[in-house]
Every structure is written in structure tokens, then in C-alpha cells.
Coordinates of all heavy atoms in Angstrom, one line a residue:
M1 N 133.6 191.9 59.2 CA 133.0 190.7 59.6 C 133.9 189.5 59.3 O 134.4 189.4 58.2 CB 131.6 190.5 59.0 CG 130.9 189.3 59.5 SD 129.2 189.1 58.7 CE 128.4 190.6 59.2
I2 N 134.2 188.6 60.2 CA 135.1 187.5 60.1 C 134.6 186.5 59.0 O 135.4 186.1 58.2 CB 135.4 186.8 61.4 CG1 136.0 187.8 62.4 CG2 136.3 185.6 61.2 CD1 136.2 187.3 63.8
H3 N 133.4 186.1 59.1 CA 132.9 185.1 58.2 C 131.7 185.7 57.4 O 130.6 185.2 57.4 CB 132.3 183.9 59.0 CG 133.4 183.2 59.8 ND1 134.3 182.3 59.3 CD2 133.7 183.3 61.1 CE1 135.1 181.9 60.2 NE2 134.7 182.4 61.4
E4 N 132.1 186.7 56.7 CA 131.0 187.5 55.9 C 130.3 186.6 54.9 O 129.0 186.7 54.8 CB 131.7 188.7 55.2 CG 130.6 189.7 54.7 CD 131.3 191.0 54.2 OE1 132.4 191.2 54.5 OE2 130.6 191.7 53.5
E5 N 131.0 185.8 54.1 CA 130.3 185.0 53.1 C 129.4 184.0 53.7 O 128.2 183.8 53.3 CB 131.3 184.3 52.2 CG 130.7 183.5 51.1 CD 131.8 182.9 50.2 OE1 132.9 183.4 50.2 OE2 131.4 181.9 49.5
L6 N 129.9 183.3 54.8 CA 129.1 182.3 55.4 C 127.9 182.9 56.1 O 126.8 182.4 56.1 CB 129.9 181.5 56.4 CG 129.2 180.4 57.2 CD1 128.5 179.4 56.3 CD2 130.1 179.8 58.2
S7 N 128.1 184.1 56.7 CA 127.0 184.8 57.4 C 125.9 185.1 56.4 O 124.7 185.0 56.6 CB 127.5 186.1 58.0 OG 128.4 185.8 59.1
G8 N 126.3 185.6 55.2 CA 125.3 185.9 54.1 C 124.5 184.7 53.7 O 123.3 184.7 53.5
E9 N 125.2 183.5 53.6 CA 124.6 182.3 53.3 C 123.6 181.8 54.3 O 122.5 181.4 54.0 CB 125.6 181.2 53.0 CG 126.5 181.4 51.8 CD 127.6 180.4 51.6 OE1 127.5 179.3 52.2 OE2 128.5 180.8 50.9
I10 N 123.9 182.0 55.6 CA 123.0 181.7 56.7 C 121.8 182.6 56.7 O 120.7 182.1 56.9 CB 123.8 181.7 58.1 CG1 124.8 180.6 58.1 CG2 122.8 181.6 59.2 CD1 125.8 180.8 59.3
I11 N 122.0 183.9 56.5 CA 120.9 184.8 56.4 C 120.0 184.5 55.3 O 118.8 184.5 55.4 CB 121.4 186.3 56.3 CG1 122.1 186.7 57.7 CG2 120.3 187.2 56.0 CD1 122.9 187.9 57.6
G12 N 120.6 184.1 54.1 CA 119.8 183.7 53.0 C 118.9 182.5 53.2 O 117.8 182.4 52.9
A13 N 119.5 181.5 53.9 CA 118.8 180.3 54.3 C 117.6 180.7 55.3 O 116.5 180.2 55.1 CB 119.7 179.3 55.0
A14 N 117.9 181.6 56.2 CA 116.8 182.0 57.2 C 115.7 182.7 56.5 O 114.5 182.5 56.8 CB 117.5 182.9 58.2
M15 N 116.0 183.6 55.5 CA 115.0 184.3 54.7 C 114.2 183.3 53.9 O 112.9 183.5 53.8 CB 115.6 185.3 53.8 CG 116.3 186.5 54.6 SD 115.2 187.3 55.8 CE 114.0 187.9 54.7
E16 N 114.8 182.3 53.3 CA 114.1 181.3 52.6 C 113.1 180.5 53.5 O 111.9 180.3 53.1 CB 115.0 180.3 52.0 CG 114.4 179.1 51.2 CD 113.6 179.6 50.0 OE1 114.0 180.6 49.4 OE2 112.7 178.8 49.6
V17 N 113.5 180.2 54.7 CA 112.7 179.5 55.7 C 111.5 180.4 56.1 O 110.4 180.0 56.1 CB 113.5 179.1 56.9 CG1 112.6 178.6 58.1 CG2 114.5 177.9 56.6
L18 N 111.8 181.6 56.4 CA 110.7 182.6 56.8 C 109.7 182.8 55.7 O 108.5 182.8 55.9 CB 111.3 183.9 57.3 CG 110.3 184.9 57.8 CD1 109.6 184.4 59.0 CD2 111.1 186.2 58.2
N19 N 110.2 183.0 54.4 CA 109.3 183.2 53.3 C 108.4 182.0 53.1 O 107.3 182.1 52.6 CB 110.1 183.5 52.0 CG 110.7 184.9 52.1 OD1 110.2 185.8 52.8 ND2 111.8 185.1 51.3
E20 N 109.0 180.8 53.3 CA 108.2 179.6 53.1 C 107.2 179.3 54.2 O 106.0 179.0 54.0 CB 109.1 178.4 53.0 CG 108.4 177.1 52.7 CD 107.8 176.9 51.4 OE1 108.2 177.6 50.4 OE2 106.8 176.1 51.2
L21 N 107.6 179.5 55.5 CA 106.8 179.1 56.6 C 105.9 180.3 57.1 O 104.9 180.1 57.8 CB 107.6 178.6 57.8 CG 108.3 177.3 57.5 CD1 109.2 176.9 58.7 CD2 107.4 176.2 57.1
K22 N 106.4 181.5 56.9 CA 105.7 182.8 57.4 C 105.9 182.9 58.9 O 106.2 181.9 59.6 CB 104.2 182.8 57.0 CG 103.9 182.6 55.6 CD 104.6 183.7 54.7 CE 104.2 183.5 53.2 NZ 105.2 183.8 52.3
P23 N 105.8 184.1 59.5 CA 105.9 184.3 60.9 C 104.8 183.6 61.7 O 103.7 183.4 61.2 CB 105.8 185.8 61.1 CG 106.1 186.4 59.7 CD 105.6 185.3 58.7
G24 N 105.1 183.4 63.0 CA 104.0 183.0 63.9 C 104.1 181.5 64.4 O 103.3 181.1 65.3
L25 N 105.1 180.8 63.9 CA 105.2 179.4 64.3 C 106.1 179.3 65.5 O 106.8 180.2 65.9 CB 105.7 178.5 63.2 CG 104.9 178.4 61.9 CD1 105.6 177.6 60.9 CD2 103.5 177.9 62.2
D26 N 106.1 178.1 66.1 CA 107.0 177.8 67.3 C 108.5 177.9 66.8 O 108.8 177.4 65.7 CB 106.7 176.5 67.8 CG 107.5 176.1 69.1 OD1 107.2 176.8 70.1 OD2 108.4 175.3 69.0
E27 N 109.4 178.4 67.6 CA 110.8 178.5 67.3 C 111.4 177.2 66.8 O 112.2 177.2 65.9 CB 111.5 179.1 68.5 CG 113.0 179.2 68.2 CD 113.8 179.6 69.5 OE1 113.2 180.1 70.4 OE2 115.0 179.4 69.5
K28 N 111.0 176.1 67.5 CA 111.6 174.8 67.1 C 111.3 174.4 65.7 O 112.2 173.8 65.0 CB 111.1 173.8 68.1 CG 112.0 172.6 68.3 CD 113.3 173.1 68.9 CE 114.1 171.9 69.3 NZ 115.5 172.3 69.6
L29 N 110.2 174.8 65.2 CA 109.9 174.5 63.8 C 110.8 175.2 62.8 O 111.2 174.7 61.8 CB 108.4 174.8 63.5 CG 107.4 174.0 64.3 CD1 106.0 174.6 64.1 CD2 107.5 172.6 64.0
Y30 N 111.1 176.5 63.1 CA 112.0 177.3 62.3 C 113.4 176.7 62.4 O 114.1 176.6 61.4 CB 112.1 178.7 62.7 CG 110.8 179.5 62.5 CD1 110.0 179.9 63.6 CD2 110.3 179.8 61.2 CE1 108.8 180.6 63.4 CE2 109.1 180.5 61.0 CZ 108.4 180.9 62.1 OH 107.2 181.5 61.9
E31 N 113.8 176.3 63.6 CA 115.1 175.6 63.7 C 115.3 174.4 62.9 O 116.2 174.2 62.2 CB 115.4 175.3 65.2 CG 116.7 174.7 65.5 CD 117.0 174.5 66.9 OE1 116.9 175.4 67.8 OE2 117.2 173.3 67.3
R32 N 114.3 173.5 62.9 CA 114.3 172.3 62.1 C 114.3 172.6 60.6 O 115.0 172.0 59.9 CB 113.1 171.4 62.5 CG 113.2 170.8 63.9 CD 111.9 170.0 64.2 NE 112.0 169.6 65.6 CZ 110.9 169.4 66.4 NH1 109.7 169.7 65.9 NH2 111.1 169.0 67.6
A33 N 113.5 173.6 60.2 CA 113.5 174.0 58.8 C 114.9 174.6 58.4 O 115.4 174.3 57.3 CB 112.4 175.0 58.5
M34 N 115.5 175.3 59.3 CA 116.9 175.9 59.0 C 117.9 174.8 58.8 O 118.7 174.8 57.9 CB 117.3 176.8 60.2 CG 116.9 178.2 60.1 SD 117.5 179.1 58.7 CE 119.3 179.3 59.2
I35 N 117.8 173.7 59.6 CA 118.7 172.6 59.5 C 118.6 172.0 58.1 O 119.6 171.7 57.4 CB 118.5 171.6 60.6 CG1 118.9 172.2 62.0 CG2 119.2 170.3 60.4 CD1 118.3 171.4 63.2
I36 N 117.3 171.8 57.7 CA 117.1 171.2 56.4 C 117.6 172.1 55.3 O 118.3 171.7 54.4 CB 115.5 170.9 56.2 CG1 115.1 169.8 57.2 CG2 115.2 170.6 54.8 CD1 113.6 169.7 57.3
E37 N 117.3 173.4 55.4 CA 117.7 174.3 54.4 C 119.2 174.4 54.3 O 119.8 174.4 53.2 CB 117.1 175.7 54.6 CG 117.4 176.7 53.6 CD 116.8 176.4 52.2 OE1 115.7 175.8 52.2 OE2 117.4 176.8 51.2
L38 N 119.9 174.5 55.4 CA 121.3 174.6 55.4 C 122.0 173.3 54.8 O 122.9 173.4 54.1 CB 121.9 174.9 56.8 CG 121.6 176.3 57.3 CD1 121.8 176.4 58.8 CD2 122.5 177.3 56.6
K39 N 121.4 172.2 55.2 CA 122.0 170.9 54.6 C 121.7 170.9 53.1 O 122.6 170.4 52.4 CB 121.4 169.7 55.3 CG 121.9 169.5 56.7 CD 121.3 168.3 57.4 CE 122.0 168.1 58.8 NZ 121.4 166.9 59.5
H40 N 120.6 171.3 52.7 CA 120.3 171.3 51.2 C 121.3 172.3 50.5 O 121.5 172.0 49.3 CB 118.9 171.8 51.0 CG 117.8 170.7 51.2 ND1 116.5 170.9 50.9 CD2 117.9 169.5 51.8 CE1 115.8 169.8 51.2 NE2 116.7 169.0 51.8
R41 N 121.8 173.3 51.2 CA 122.7 174.2 50.6 C 124.2 173.7 50.8 O 125.1 174.5 50.5 CB 122.5 175.6 51.2 CG 121.2 176.3 50.8 CD 121.0 177.5 51.6 NE 119.7 178.1 51.2 CZ 119.6 179.4 50.8 NH1 120.6 180.2 50.8 NH2 118.4 179.9 50.5
G42 N 124.3 172.5 51.3 CA 125.7 171.9 51.4 C 126.4 172.3 52.6 O 127.7 172.0 52.7
H43 N 125.8 172.8 53.7 CA 126.5 173.1 54.9 C 126.4 172.0 55.9 O 125.3 171.4 56.1 CB 125.9 174.4 55.5 CG 126.1 175.6 54.6 ND1 127.3 176.2 54.5 CD2 125.2 176.3 53.9 CE1 127.2 177.2 53.6 NE2 125.9 177.3 53.3
G44 N 127.4 171.8 56.7 CA 127.4 170.9 57.8 C 126.7 171.6 59.0 O 127.0 172.8 59.2
V45 N 125.9 171.0 59.8 CA 125.2 171.6 60.9 C 125.2 170.7 62.1 O 124.9 169.5 62.0 CB 123.7 171.9 60.5 CG1 123.0 172.6 61.6 CG2 123.6 172.7 59.2
S46 N 125.6 171.3 63.2 CA 125.5 170.6 64.5 C 124.4 171.3 65.3 O 124.3 172.5 65.3 CB 126.8 170.7 65.3 OG 127.8 170.0 64.6
V47 N 123.7 170.5 66.1 CA 122.5 171.1 66.8 C 122.7 170.9 68.3 O 123.1 169.8 68.8 CB 121.2 170.3 66.4 CG1 120.0 170.9 67.2 CG2 121.0 170.4 64.9
Q48 N 122.5 172.0 69.1 CA 122.6 172.0 70.5 C 123.8 171.4 71.1 O 123.8 170.7 72.1 CB 121.3 171.3 71.1 CG 120.0 171.9 70.7 CD 119.7 173.2 71.3 OE1 119.9 173.4 72.5 NE2 119.1 174.1 70.6
S49 N 125.0 171.7 70.5 CA 126.3 171.3 71.0 C 126.6 172.1 72.3 O 126.2 173.2 72.4 CB 127.4 171.5 70.0 OG 127.2 170.7 68.9
S50 N 127.3 171.4 73.2 CA 127.5 172.0 74.5 C 129.0 172.4 74.7 O 129.9 171.6 74.3 CB 127.2 171.0 75.6 OG 127.4 171.5 76.9
F51 N 129.3 173.7 75.1 CA 130.7 174.1 75.3 C 130.8 174.7 76.7 O 130.1 175.6 77.1 CB 131.0 175.2 74.2 CG 130.8 174.7 72.8 CD1 129.6 174.9 72.1 CD2 131.9 174.1 72.2 CE1 129.5 174.5 70.8 CE2 131.7 173.7 70.9 CZ 130.5 173.8 70.2
P52 N 131.9 174.3 77.4 CA 132.1 174.9 78.7 C 132.6 176.3 78.6 O 133.3 176.6 77.6 CB 133.2 174.0 79.3 CG 133.8 173.3 78.2 CD 132.8 173.2 77.1
V53 N 132.3 177.2 79.5 CA 132.7 178.6 79.5 C 133.5 178.8 80.8 O 133.0 178.6 81.9 CB 131.5 179.6 79.4 CG1 132.0 181.0 79.4 CG2 130.7 179.3 78.1
F54 N 134.7 179.4 80.6 CA 135.6 179.6 81.8 C 135.9 181.1 82.0 O 135.9 181.9 81.0 CB 136.9 178.9 81.6 CG 136.8 177.4 81.6 CD1 136.6 176.7 80.4 CD2 136.9 176.7 82.7 CE1 136.4 175.4 80.3 CE2 136.8 175.3 82.7 CZ 136.5 174.6 81.5
Y55 N 136.0 181.5 83.2 CA 136.5 182.9 83.5 C 137.6 182.7 84.5 O 137.5 182.1 85.5 CB 135.3 183.7 84.2 CG 135.7 185.1 84.5 CD1 135.8 186.0 83.6 CD2 136.0 185.4 85.9 CE1 136.2 187.3 83.9 CE2 136.3 186.7 86.2 CZ 136.4 187.6 85.2 OH 136.8 188.9 85.6
H56 N 138.8 183.3 84.1 CA 140.0 183.2 84.9 C 140.3 181.7 85.3 O 140.6 181.5 86.5 CB 140.0 184.1 86.1 CG 140.0 185.6 85.7 ND1 141.1 186.1 85.1 CD2 139.1 186.5 85.9 CE1 140.9 187.4 84.9 NE2 139.7 187.7 85.3
G57 N 140.0 180.8 84.4 CA 140.3 179.4 84.7 C 139.3 178.6 85.4 O 139.4 177.5 85.7
E58 N 138.2 179.3 85.8 CA 137.1 178.7 86.5 C 135.9 178.5 85.7 O 135.5 179.5 85.0 CB 136.7 179.4 87.8 CG 137.9 179.5 88.8 CD 137.4 180.1 90.2 OE1 136.3 179.7 90.6 OE2 138.2 180.8 90.7
L59 N 135.3 177.3 85.7 CA 134.1 177.1 84.9 C 132.9 177.9 85.5 O 132.6 177.9 86.7 CB 133.7 175.6 85.0 CG 132.5 175.1 84.3 CD1 132.7 175.3 82.8 CD2 132.1 173.7 84.6
I60 N 132.3 178.7 84.6 CA 131.2 179.5 85.0 C 129.9 179.1 84.4 O 128.8 179.6 84.8 CB 131.4 181.0 84.7 CG1 131.6 181.2 83.2 CG2 132.6 181.5 85.5 CD1 131.6 182.7 82.8
G61 N 129.9 178.2 83.5 CA 128.6 177.7 82.9 C 128.9 177.0 81.6 O 130.0 176.7 81.2
T62 N 127.8 176.8 80.9 CA 127.8 176.1 79.6 C 127.1 176.9 78.5 O 126.0 177.4 78.8 CB 127.2 174.7 79.7 OG1 127.8 174.0 80.8 CG2 127.3 173.9 78.5
L63 N 127.7 177.0 77.4 CA 127.1 177.7 76.2 C 126.5 176.6 75.3 O 127.2 175.6 75.0 CB 128.1 178.5 75.5 CG 127.7 179.1 74.1 CD1 126.6 180.2 74.4 CD2 128.9 179.7 73.4
I64 N 125.2 176.8 75.0 CA 124.6 175.8 74.1 C 123.9 176.6 72.9 O 122.8 177.0 73.0 CB 123.5 175.0 74.8 CG1 124.1 174.3 76.0 CG2 122.9 174.0 73.9 CD1 123.2 173.5 76.9
P65 N 124.7 176.9 71.9 CA 124.1 177.6 70.7 C 123.1 176.7 70.0 O 123.2 175.5 70.0 CB 125.3 177.9 69.8 CG 126.4 177.0 70.3 CD 126.1 176.6 71.7
D66 N 122.1 177.3 69.4 CA 121.1 176.5 68.7 C 121.7 175.7 67.6 O 121.4 174.5 67.5 CB 120.0 177.5 68.1 CG 119.2 178.2 69.1 OD1 119.1 177.7 70.3 OD2 118.6 179.2 68.8
L67 N 122.5 176.3 66.8 CA 123.1 175.7 65.6 C 124.6 176.1 65.5 O 124.9 177.2 65.8 CB 122.4 176.0 64.3 CG 120.9 175.8 64.2 CD1 120.4 176.3 62.9 CD2 120.6 174.3 64.4
I68 N 125.4 175.1 65.0 CA 126.8 175.4 64.6 C 126.8 175.1 63.1 O 126.5 174.0 62.7 CB 127.8 174.6 65.3 CG1 127.7 174.7 66.8 CG2 129.2 174.9 64.8 CD1 128.1 176.1 67.4
V69 N 127.2 176.1 62.3 CA 127.3 175.9 60.8 C 128.8 176.1 60.5 O 129.3 177.2 60.7 CB 126.4 176.9 60.1 CG1 126.5 176.7 58.6 CG2 125.0 176.9 60.6
H70 N 129.4 175.1 59.9 CA 130.8 175.1 59.6 C 131.6 175.7 60.7 O 132.4 176.6 60.5 CB 131.0 176.0 58.3 CG 130.6 175.3 57.1 ND1 131.3 175.4 55.9 CD2 129.5 174.5 56.8 CE1 130.7 174.7 54.9 NE2 129.6 174.2 55.5
D71 N 131.3 175.2 61.9 CA 132.1 175.6 63.1 C 131.8 177.1 63.5 O 132.6 177.7 64.2 CB 133.6 175.4 63.0 CG 133.8 173.9 62.8 OD1 133.1 173.1 63.4 OD2 134.8 173.5 62.1
T72 N 130.8 177.7 63.0 CA 130.4 179.1 63.4 C 129.0 179.1 64.0 O 128.1 178.6 63.5 CB 130.4 179.9 62.1 OG1 131.6 179.9 61.4 CG2 130.1 181.4 62.4
A73 N 129.0 179.7 65.2 CA 127.7 179.7 66.0 C 126.7 180.6 65.3 O 127.0 181.6 64.8 CB 127.9 180.1 67.4
S74 N 125.4 180.1 65.3 CA 124.3 180.9 64.8 C 123.1 180.8 65.6 O 122.6 179.7 65.7 CB 124.0 180.5 63.3 OG 122.9 181.1 62.9
R75 N 122.7 181.8 66.2 CA 121.4 181.8 67.0 C 120.3 182.0 66.0 O 120.3 183.0 65.3 CB 121.4 182.9 68.0 CG 122.4 182.7 69.1 CD 122.1 181.6 70.1 NE 120.9 181.9 70.8 CZ 120.3 181.1 71.7 NH1 120.8 179.9 71.9 NH2 119.2 181.4 72.3
T76 N 119.4 181.1 65.9 CA 118.3 181.2 64.9 C 117.0 181.7 65.6 O 116.3 180.9 66.2 CB 118.0 179.9 64.2 OG1 117.7 178.9 65.2 CG2 119.2 179.5 63.3
R77 N 116.8 183.0 65.6 CA 115.6 183.5 66.2 C 114.8 184.2 65.1 O 115.2 185.1 64.5 CB 115.9 184.6 67.2 CG 116.6 184.1 68.4 CD 115.7 183.3 69.3 NE 116.4 182.9 70.5 CZ 116.5 181.6 70.9 NH1 115.9 180.7 70.2 NH2 117.1 181.3 72.0
M78 N 113.6 183.6 64.8 CA 112.8 184.1 63.7 C 111.8 185.1 64.3 O 111.3 184.9 65.4 CB 112.1 183.0 63.0 CG 113.1 182.0 62.3 SD 114.1 182.8 61.2 CE 113.6 182.1 59.7
P79 N 111.3 186.1 63.5 CA 110.3 187.0 64.0 C 109.0 186.3 64.4 O 108.6 185.3 63.8 CB 110.1 187.9 62.9 CG 111.2 187.7 61.9 CD 111.8 186.4 62.2
R80 N 108.4 186.8 65.4 CA 107.1 186.3 65.8 C 106.0 187.4 65.5 O 106.3 188.5 65.3 CB 107.1 185.9 67.3 CG 108.0 184.8 67.6 CD 108.0 184.5 69.0 NE 108.9 183.4 69.3 CZ 108.6 182.2 69.7 NH1 107.4 181.9 70.0 NH2 109.6 181.3 69.9
K81 N 104.8 186.9 65.5 CA 103.7 187.9 65.3 C 103.7 189.0 66.3 O 104.0 188.8 67.4 CB 102.3 187.2 65.3 CG 102.0 186.4 64.1 CD 100.6 185.9 64.2 CE 100.3 184.8 63.3 NZ 99.0 184.3 63.4

């Protein structure tokens, strides 16, 4: 894994959020809580940044990850009921 330590920290933050809020809430609430938790842990976080995606030099669309943590994309999908 390229960013093993950072990945572990992100997973730890996600587990803290889930343990506090419990399953069943709207995804946006978990995302907002993740931003707070990651910032409290000293991480920089960008939200819904937009990146163009090219194939053989031609634009094919746009990637919008939920969160960028220390320049590493993280899709935050919490379990639902």
C-alpha cells in the first residue's frame, strides 16, 4: 500500500465517526463528521475538488472525490442499516 500510515489514520477517523454517530444517517452527515474528525487529528482536508480525466489526450469527464486528505483521495461511504 502506497500510503499505508495515512490510510490507517483515515480508517481510524472513520471508525471514530461511525462509533459516535452509529449507522443509518444520511451520507452527508458522515462526510461532515469525517471532515471535523480529520481536522481534529491534524489533517488537511479538501472537499468535492474537481479533476479532469483524460483518455489518450481527450477529456472524458470529471472526477469529484468526496474528500482529499493530504493529497490522497478518500471515498467516505459509511455502512447503512
Side-chain angles (χ1 to χ4, degrees):
M1 186 180 297
I2 297 172
H3 299 283
E4 190 170 349
E5 184 177 337
L6 179 58
S7 295
E9 292 174 20
I10 293 169
I11 291 168
M15 293 306 298
E16 177 68 25
V17 167
L18 183 60
N19 287 335
E20 180 70 23
L21 296 179
K22 308 298 183 215
L25 299 177
D26 183 73
E27 177 185 343
K28 205 64 171 164
L29 298 174
Y30 295 111
E31 183 178 302
R32 290 177 186 147
M34 276 293 292
I35 293 165
I36 292 168
E37 185 63 31
L38 288 165
K39 286 181 177 180
H40 283 188
R41 292 172 180 234
H43 297 286
V45 181
S46 298
V47 181
Q48 302 286 321
S49 298
S50 178
F51 300 93
V53 179
F54 296 89
Y55 179 77
H56 292 295
E58 294 189 43
L59 181 65
I60 59 171
T62 304
L63 172 67
I64 305 174
D66 292 340
L67 303 176
I68 302 291
V69 181
H70 286 219
D71 299 326
T72 302
S74 170
R75 295 289 294 177
T76 56
R77 296 285 184 234
M78 301 301 245
R80 294 179 184 244
K81 283 188 198 177

